[in-house]
Amino acid sequence: MSNPSRIWLPAVAFLALAAPVAAQCVDYTEHAHLISRQTMEFFMKDLVADGDHAYATTFDNSLVVMDIGDPLQPRAVGEVPLVPGPEYLVQRDQYVFASGHGYAVGIYAVDVSMPAAPVEVGYLSVTEGTQILMTHGDLLVVQRHLADIIDIVDASDPADMTVLSSISRDGQALASNGGDLIYIRTRTRLEVWDLSDPVWPTQRGTVDLPGFFVGTSMVLHGTSLLLAPGASAAEATVVDVADPDAPFVAQTFGLRYSIAGAIMVGDLAYFPLNSGAVDLYDLADFDAPVYRSSLVGDATTAAALTGNHLVCADGAVLSVYDTTGAHLSYPEAGFHDWVYGFSFSAERHADHVYVGGQFGLFAFDVSDYTAPVVSFSENGSAAVAMAGEILYATRDRALTVYSIDDPAMPSAITAFERPWWNSSPPLYVAGDVLVVDTADSLLTFDISSPASPQPLGGRAFDTSVVTIDAGLLYALTDTALHILDLADPVNLPQLGQTHQPDGESVAVHDGYAYICNSAYANGLLWIMDVRDPTDPAFATAQEGIYIRGLSVHGNQLLATQGGWGVQLLDVADPLAPTYSGHLYRGYDTGWVYRARAVGDLVWLGRDDGVGFIPTPCIDVVSSVTDEPGGLPRTLQLSSHPNPFNPQVTIRFEVPQRAFVDIEIFDLRGRRLRRLLNREPHEAGPYTVLWLGNDDAGRALASGVYVARVRAGVWTAAQKLTLVR
């Protein structure tokens, strides 16, 4: 009997005086990560979000309402023209207020209670335009753009907004305590103002602030104000405002990078960076701020939090992040740097990883992967492949065979000179066959005697990228994907081909080939159906997936993204890959162009060295037999009736005590219903009833759905057919 189960790669034990750091696989889906990146049909200026909707001002002089209830597929559902076009947005209940710094751009009030039909209900003229807009209860606090004046606006009736009073100040940032107080950051100081009588605002306390920074962000956290100086400096200032009559600078602390904004929820701060990422800090203790992780993506011009999702806009690109695990820190990683040079390929044997790159051939001791140590190196550009305890390397226009009986010190056995090769062509092992890709030819060698490769043949082929899967060789050229049969390594006969634009990398999984090209606007991923290798065909393409390299790890693709690092793509549904985690942020320690699982680690081929991080945990199908006369050793799952209407009973049997999740998905991978959420169960049988509805109680349409049960390290899934 076969059942899906999660394989947790075991930690490796090492004999050493100091305790080594062994790698446990990591469930990266539990960490905050990108889940969708959609190119909209409009360019966005600013963004706010609430519940299942986001609202954006656009360069088309309009306010657009987007439905993000399905964060995998955000879509525009409503629009209202606003001329002259505003820029800045704030929201209060069912109203969105929009303003801008253009001449004669006033304040618009838009009723969004009907997302598909937003309506402009009010307008307040502001001749000088606005620079900052903030809500404060029923009030709007407005910093004019072309005048050092802050207006206090009564917006209790959005259809009849009126200015109650004005403060002569050059506000650079505003914050509200949600009660009577507002905070104004001017060019030289912070001021506290009392608006308990908004017709007669009263100044309370002030404190001088060092320096003047354009783009200052200011958020209130308890009785402290956090001020970040924008792109001018990588630091933040904390002002204690517990006594509004006597605020004082409590401290200043450094950030990793200069920031473009700040959002706080509880103790967690989100800092969008100008580089195109969002840094997450735990600020429970301002004396000891803790960097947690980063959300990588496009340069963020606007960001908003709603529930467990962070929504970011950059031009026409809308990115949505799952922030459920935002409080978690990244797993520790290990790096080895050199001045410059890419690493091309890597193989693993015992505690050592062998890396070929522009700088040469290296052996790394990764018994403590957080501090890899070079145990062997040879100069000269190299690429590597391995069979058993034999390492093959192309370097200096030769194929060199190494023994790794001593893993720390590879020993050259023999070398075959090939003066006509380029310096270090890539090479691959498939059973007893070694394939060398010389760019204009694919050459094969018999390695049934591993230490003595013998030339077999091959064929002339102008390839750009090669991968091997299940005895077939997939070769990308400038115009096509070719499938060659390795069963005849002498001739490498072509079984089939399909035309497609040029690609940078190809990976094959479960009968589908994935081809990426980052040169297309916002990235493009082609998916080819290669289940019949004699008749491969284009299946679909996904835009907005920026990828430089691909490799397979279980039901996931390791997708390298240069400065963005490595994303995980879940291909359980082969025609609809989804973002499922983020392994590594490339802008921190070098861009990464190649990544591959080597044992319990992922090797990172960076532009200035190598890196090692724990592998993602993977879901695989394993064949496990039941214990005689006892409980099953796997998770059992069944349902009745199936097809069903209006309800179905889901039966499952847990092999040992575990936390259980039961979720319902549609065939596109969207979660519709959560029936159990990490509820503890002792070993034994259980039943759960599903009424064919979603989390909001809405009845689902007829169709096929998937029930997924997770119990500890076990996972099982079953299709359920609903017939109304």
Side-chain angles (χ1 to χ4, degrees), residues 226-527:
L226 177 68
L227 291 84
S232 304
E235 65 179 18
T237 299
V238 180
V239 178
D240 189 317
V241 291
D243 182 352
D245 297 310
F248 63 92
V249 175
Q251 66 185 107
T252 298
F253 61 86
L255 301 170
R256 298 179 339 120
Y257 299 99
S258 60
I259 68 173
I263 303 171
M264 282 203 73
V265 177
D267 292 329
L268 197 65
Y270 295 77
F271 292 134
L273 309 179
N274 295 299
S275 64
V278 180
D279 273 1
L280 278 60
Y281 281 79
D282 187 335
L283 299 182
D285 182 356
F286 280 121
D287 290 326
V290 178
Y291 165 72
R292 288 297 185 194
S293 61
S294 294
L295 303 173
V296 298
D298 304 272
T300 301
T301 56
L305 270 170
T306 173
N308 289 326
H309 293 102
L310 177 70
V311 185
C312 295
D314 176 47
V317 177
L318 187 74
S319 300
V320 183
Y321 300 85
D322 184 342
T323 60
T324 306
H327 61 288
L328 300 175
S329 295
Y330 272 135
E332 194 170 2
F335 301 101
H336 177 84
D337 301 325
W338 42 62
V339 178
Y340 177 79
F342 296 97
S343 53
F344 303 139
S345 52
E347 297 284 356
R348 174 87 178 262
H349 178 64
D351 299 341
H352 287 76
V353 176
Y354 308 96
V355 176
Q358 284 180 292
F359 272 5
L361 172 63
F362 294 83
F364 290 94
D365 183 338
V366 292
S367 54
D368 178 354
Y369 73 92
T370 65
V373 177
V374 176
S375 63
F376 169 88
S377 65
E378 287 185 344
N379 293 331
S381 179
V384 297
M386 192 170 66
E389 295 188 356
I390 295 295
L391 181 71
Y392 303 95
T394 51
R395 52 184 301 272
D396 294 334
R397 292 182 169 82
L399 173 62
T400 303
V401 182
Y402 295 85
S403 168
I404 49 176
D405 289 339
D406 179 357
M409 293 295 295
S411 174
I413 299 172
T414 186
F416 300 89
E417 301 293 334
R418 294 294 187 269
W420 57 91
W421 286 4
N422 57 33
S423 179
S424 54
L427 65 167
Y428 312 87
V429 169
D432 289 338
V433 178
L434 177 70
V435 180
V436 180
D437 178 10
T438 65
D440 59 3
S441 298
L442 292 170
L443 305 178
T444 56
F445 295 81
D446 181 352
I447 56 171
S448 54
S449 296
S452 303
Q454 300 298 316
L456 286 173
R459 63 183 296 164
F461 225 84
D462 188 12
T463 61
S464 57
V465 181
V466 167
T467 193
I468 293 174
D469 180 73
L472 300 177
L473 187 148
Y474 298 82
L476 275 180
T477 66
D478 291 341
T479 59
L481 172 67
H482 303 262
I483 305 178
L484 310 181
D485 191 355
L486 279 169
D488 180 359
V490 175
N491 300 299
L492 289 181
Q494 178 168 295
L495 299 177
Q497 74 174 60
T498 180
H499 292 280
Q500 95 296 318
D502 186 23
E504 293 175 88
S505 182
V506 58
V508 179
H509 173 67
D510 201 21
Y512 290 89
Y514 300 87
I515 301 169
C516 64
N517 193 324
S518 63
Y520 282 75
N522 295 317
L524 190 63
L525 181 69
W526 291 281
I527 304 175

Side-chain angles (χ1 to χ4, degrees), residues 127-189:
T127 303
E128 298 88 350
T130 61
Q131 179 174 303
I132 307 172
L133 185 64
M134 180 183 75
T135 59
H136 180 72
D138 287 337
L139 303 175
L140 293 177
V141 183
V142 183
Q143 172 66 55
R144 298 190 203 175
H145 176 52
L146 298 178
D148 291 342
I149 296 175
I150 296 174
D151 291 321
I152 311 302
V153 177
D154 181 356
S156 56
D157 180 1
D160 186 24
M161 295 179 285
T162 57
V163 176
L164 299 177
S165 58
S166 298
I167 303 171
S168 181
R169 288 295 184 274
D170 58 334
Q172 305 300 307
L174 301 173
S176 166
N177 75 343
D180 294 332
L181 302 178
I182 67 168
Y183 309 92
I184 302 172
R185 200 275 195 238
T186 72
R187 288 178 171 85
T188 59
R189 61 185 180 176

